[in-house]
Amino acid sequence: MKLTRGGWTLLGLLALILLMAPSSNPTIYVVIAALIALLILNIPLAFMAVRGFSVRRDHPTHVREGADIRIRLHIANTARATRMLLRFFDTLPGRSASDPVPLPLLESGERRAVVYTWRAVRRGFYAFRTCRVESSSPFGLARFRCPRS
């Protein structure tokens, strides 16, 4: 679990309110409690979003240099809740790990396929490594990553 820039901004705002607000004002405590509740609710939502689904990757293992490789992701949601705000990070030779593949909204029990292409930088055998799936909370305050093979 990792707080995003928005999460750290919220924590800074909470600290600023605590330092600047007079302690005799009861409204400030309601505002602080609401902001803390917002942060506390976002962390489990980001964690639960990466649980309960599976990703399987279909791809060729031998390629020619400069050829486009079509990689198909088979995604299945096995949980009861809808999965949203998911991104797939694949570490391929010549492809930055910071280039995410957005995954579609998955209803309970739904299966989908996502196809993306990648240009081979060299010919030969490619060993696909472990990928990771990342989820952001609905307000973008927390982020959770989960490795997938």
Side-chain angles (χ1 to χ4, degrees), residues 5-125:
R5 184 178 294 165
W8 286 110
T9 303
L10 182 66
L11 284 178
L13 180 66
L14 282 169
L16 185 66
I17 289 173
L18 283 172
L19 290 173
M20 302 296 288
S23 61
S24 62
N25 189 353
T27 308
I28 294 298
Y29 295 115
V30 173
V31 172
I32 290 171
L35 292 176
I36 290 173
L38 181 67
L39 186 62
I40 289 173
L41 286 175
N42 272 266
I43 292 171
L45 287 175
F47 174 74
M48 291 180 345
V50 295
R51 301 288 184 226
F53 76 97
S54 63
V55 176
R56 187 174 52 89
R57 187 171 39 187
D58 285 339
H59 53 80
T61 54
H62 291 78
V63 296
R64 294 184 181 163
E65 184 177 356
D68 286 337
I69 301 172
R70 287 179 45 110
I71 300 170
R72 180 179 297 268
L73 300 174
H74 298 279
I75 309 159
N77 183 7
T78 58
R80 289 180 285 164
T82 301
R83 297 293 174 238
M84 60 182 172
L85 303 171
L86 296 174
R87 296 185 300 172
F88 180 81
F89 289 88
D90 208 352
T91 52
L92 299 170
R95 180 182 169 94
S96 171
S98 63
D99 297 336
V101 177
L103 300 179
L105 178 78
L106 293 171
E107 297 292 334
S108 176
E110 186 178 8
R111 295 176 185 272
R112 286 212 183 158
V114 175
V115 177
Y116 66 96
T117 58
W118 169 72
R119 185 171 297 274
V121 294
R122 60 175 172 81
R123 66 185 180 124
F125 178 77

